[in-house]
Amino acid sequence: MAYFLQQLASALPIAALYALLAFGYSVAFSVTRRADLTYGALFGFAGQIFLLFADFAWNRLWLVLPAALAVGAVSALVYTLGAGLLIGRSVMHRLAATSANTVVVVSLGIALVLMEVSRIAAQTRSLWLPPFLNTPVTLWSDPRFPVTLTVVQLVNTALMLAIIGAGQLFLARSAWGRAWRAVSDDAGAAALCGVDGRRIFIAAYGFSALLAAIAGILATAYYGTMDFGAGLVFGVKVLFIAAIGGQTAPVLAALGAAVMGLSETLWSAYGPMLWRDFVIFSFLVLLLVLTRKEQFQP
């Protein structure tokens, strides 16, 4: 029983990370309406920029660890948000308006460019953060098998859930959120009502990039590093996990992603690790096929 509770506790940070990724992806997908690997690439790019600048601040500027981490986090936010806005304005909006199916192909190219830029900037070095906030916190006392999580796991989970809640509140209550829903439902009708579809598209892509950057920073702080190929891996994974709950409904996408995070952790605890991704993705493909609904996509 204690082992099972520990697995449930260990699933919380992963489920929260997947939920935040799916929430942000859904915001962008609602205006592009096409599979987009760029979001996962921005996630990986943010983590790598965070590592690169934190390493520079620590080894070159001789800053203390909190200051070095702050420099890395701010740099990652600026670079990733800037890249997201540039991609949304100069690439994705033009393609979505003229040749929507090209979005899928171009997103793969952008993902490869971001991966290679970060790899070249780091000179193909695997950078690691020193352990911090790794003090275990006991959630359930058991003399033989106490259930624990570290401070960084608890902080990451709380921050990610708070960001999802704040994001959903912003989408539901703000004027921009109403305009975003109008454009995602019918951009043409929204334009007839005076909504600037281009501005909403770029802002939605920027908002999505900001959430990807925050997720990348928090994930890197938790795991200690970010692999150069993580952007492509998470880009494909986010496509599936967001589709569980619905790619155009951020909260439902987040809930579906959290279920997948829980499933991955439980499989890792009780099943063979070699078959984990194969089984999870096979189940997702089967689920998507069984629940597929025919609808016209302009």
Side-chain angles (χ1 to χ4, degrees):
M1 182 61 180
Y3 180 75
F4 176 71
L5 292 177
Q6 180 62 66
Q7 300 312 311
L8 291 180
S10 300
L12 290 178
I14 299 174
L17 173 62
Y18 283 2
L20 180 58
L21 287 173
F23 185 90
Y25 175 80
S26 181
V27 173
F29 181 87
S30 295
V31 293
T32 61
R33 295 287 176 166
R34 290 298 184 272
D36 188 355
L37 297 174
T38 306
Y39 183 76
L42 290 172
F43 164 78
F45 180 73
Q48 289 144 12
I49 293 296
F50 175 49
L51 285 171
L52 188 63
F53 277 88
D55 176 74
F56 175 79
W58 175 263
N59 290 311
R60 301 293 180 86
L61 301 181
W62 298 97
L63 298 180
V64 295
L65 182 59
L69 294 176
V71 170
V74 171
S75 301
L77 288 173
V78 171
Y79 273 79
T80 308
L81 181 58
L85 290 173
L86 178 63
I87 294 168
R89 182 190 65 184
S90 302
V91 181
M92 291 304 177
H93 181 262
R94 296 181 180 181
L95 291 178
T98 57
S99 180
N101 289 329
T102 314
V103 169
V104 183
V105 180
V106 172
S107 70
L108 176 59
I110 294 174
L112 294 176
V113 169
L114 290 175
M115 288 166 51
E116 285 301 296
V117 166
S118 59
R119 183 187 65 79
I120 293 171
Q123 299 178 349
T124 322
R125 296 174 299 157
S126 294
L127 301 175
W128 287 82
L129 296 175
F132 63 95
L133 298 179
N134 58 348
T135 305
V137 177
T138 302
L139 303 179
W140 188 56
S141 298
D142 188 316
R144 294 175 300 175
F145 200 103
V147 177
T148 63
L149 285 178
T150 62
V151 174
V152 69
Q153 287 177 310
L154 294 173
V155 171
N156 272 11
T157 302
L159 285 176
M160 290 177 186
L161 294 179
I163 291 170
I164 293 172
Q168 176 58 25
L169 187 63
F170 174 70
L171 293 177
R173 300 293 181 86
S174 67
W176 185 88
R178 290 191 293 272
W180 168 78
R181 290 196 301 273
V183 172
S184 64
D185 289 340
D186 192 328
L192 293 176
C193 296
V195 177
D196 187 348
R198 181 178 184 274
R199 180 177 62 85
I200 297 299
F201 186 103
I202 297 173
Y205 216 88
F207 183 37
S208 178
L210 177 62
L211 295 179
I214 295 173
I217 293 169
L218 294 177
T220 304
Y222 171 43
Y223 290 107
T225 189
M226 179 67 73
D227 186 74
F228 296 117
L232 188 58
V233 172
F234 275 89
V236 175
K237 184 171 287 189
V238 168
L239 296 181
F240 282 93
I241 64 179
I244 303 174
Q247 291 172 310
T248 58
V251 171
L252 295 180
L255 289 175
V259 171
M260 180 175 176
L262 175 62
S263 302
E264 277 195 359
T265 304
L266 292 179
W267 181 273
S268 300
Y270 295 101
M273 282 288 296
L274 180 64
W275 293 94
R276 186 192 66 181
D277 288 340
F278 174 78
V279 172
I280 294 294
F281 280 111
S282 298
F283 173 75
L284 290 178
V285 170
L286 178 62
L287 181 64
L288 292 176
V289 170
L290 293 177
T291 59
R292 181 174 180 268
K293 296 180 182 180
E294 294 288 343
Q295 57 181 352
F296 173 72
Q297 292 285 354

